[in-house]
Amino acid sequence: MAQILDGKALSAKIKEDLALRAGQSGITPGLAVILVGEDPASRIYVNSKRKDCEECGFYSEEYTLPAESGQQDLLDLIDVLNGREDIDGILCQLPLPPQFDTQQVLTAIDPMKDVDCFHPVNVGRLMTGNAYLRPCTPAGIMELLKEGGISVSGKHCVILGRSNIVGKPTAMLMLQEDATVTICHSKTPDLAQYCLQADILVSAVGRRGLVTSDMIREGAVVVDVAMNRDENGKLCGDCCRDVY
């Protein structure tokens, strides 16, 4: 019988622990979230982050700039937040409108407050195994495996997706835990042959129906972190239902 890795249960456990630690410390961590425009998907993410902060006993602020704002408007706001002692983390919701230089914006955030781990300093620290902060989804994958009693040491971990947000940092975290890692992407020929070699498969492509049951070998661990919509508009991952 398949073992289900329950991400919702783990999330609730982590938030309960964080709320307890925040209460005992007497310190209220502060997060500033910046949203430019009103992209519906981004609004859902921002609302979710505000709710998570409340549940963890954190302080949060939201800054919503008009979609027609200029680059300097956003950089000036980040500069102010960088200097605020009551703000410990800054998150600029992506994607930004097309007139923005996204890399310049992300680089403007103080690396010590860069909770998304997008700043080149934090990317470099992650690559060298000396991370100050870890990007949330890759870190969540590692915690989920740990909670399920699944060690990646000595395992062949196949990652579908090479994004800077999930694929690449997940590969780095697994390498640091002594896994053998293969990264696949849209140009990888015969994807199934790599999936069938996986002890642990992580799918983060964003293509509904990409992974079918005949691509998974018996006993393999599958972690699907993609966000897609099915034909009924419901959220789903990359894997077909029969994979589970």
Side-chain angles (χ1 to χ4, degrees), residues 62-115:
E62 178 186 323
Y63 296 86
T64 303
L65 302 182
E68 61 273 14
S69 298
Q71 180 88 356
Q72 196 57 49
D73 297 322
L74 181 51
L75 293 177
D76 288 344
L77 173 58
I78 290 172
D79 186 55
V80 170
L81 295 172
N82 280 339
R84 294 231 337 240
E85 293 186 2
D86 60 332
I87 295 297
D88 303 286
I90 302 171
L91 190 154
C92 186
Q93 183 66 44
L94 301 181
L96 292 170
Q99 73 268 26
F100 286 88
D101 181 338
T102 298
Q103 192 56 48
Q104 184 185 25
V105 169
L106 297 178
T107 304
I109 297 173
D110 182 344
M112 299 292 282
K113 297 186 178 186
D114 169 38
V115 293

Side-chain angles (χ1 to χ4, degrees), residues 157-163 167-168 171-172 181-185 188:
C157 300
V158 176
I159 299 170
L160 308 185
R162 55 180 168 179
S163 72
K168 291 177 185 176
M172 290 302 102
V181 179
T182 298
I183 302 177
C184 299
H185 47 79
T188 301

Side-chain angles (χ1 to χ4, degrees), residues 197-237:
Q197 297 173 31
D199 298 308
I200 299 173
L201 178 72
V202 177
S203 193
V205 175
R207 188 183 303 168
R208 179 168 62 94
L210 176 68
V211 181
T212 56
S213 60
D214 59 352
M215 297 167 66
I216 309 298
R217 70 172 184 80
E218 185 71 25
V221 176
V222 179
V223 181
D224 187 350
V225 294
M227 296 280 281
N228 307 303
R229 296 279 180 183
D230 65 14
E231 62 276 7
N232 298 315
K234 295 182 65 176
L235 284 174
C236 63

Side-chain angles (χ1 to χ4, degrees), residues 123-188:
V123 173
R125 292 179 67 99
L126 179 67
M127 286 287 294
T128 57
N130 190 31
Y132 169 69
L133 296 168
R134 299 187 299 167
C136 62
T137 299
I141 292 169
M142 301 305 289
E143 287 299 318
L144 189 61
L145 293 171
K146 186 185 298 183
E147 181 74 5
I150 300 164
S151 171
V152 303
S153 179
K155 304 288 179 59
H156 185 190
C157 300
V158 176
I159 299 170
L160 308 185
R162 55 180 168 179
S163 72
N164 293 329
I165 299 173
V166 181
K168 291 177 185 176
T170 299
M172 290 302 102
L173 292 177
M174 287 190 165
L175 281 172
Q176 290 160 21
E177 294 291 333
D178 300 322
T180 297
V181 179
T182 298
I183 302 177
C184 299
H185 47 79
S186 60
K187 304 298 183 184
T188 301

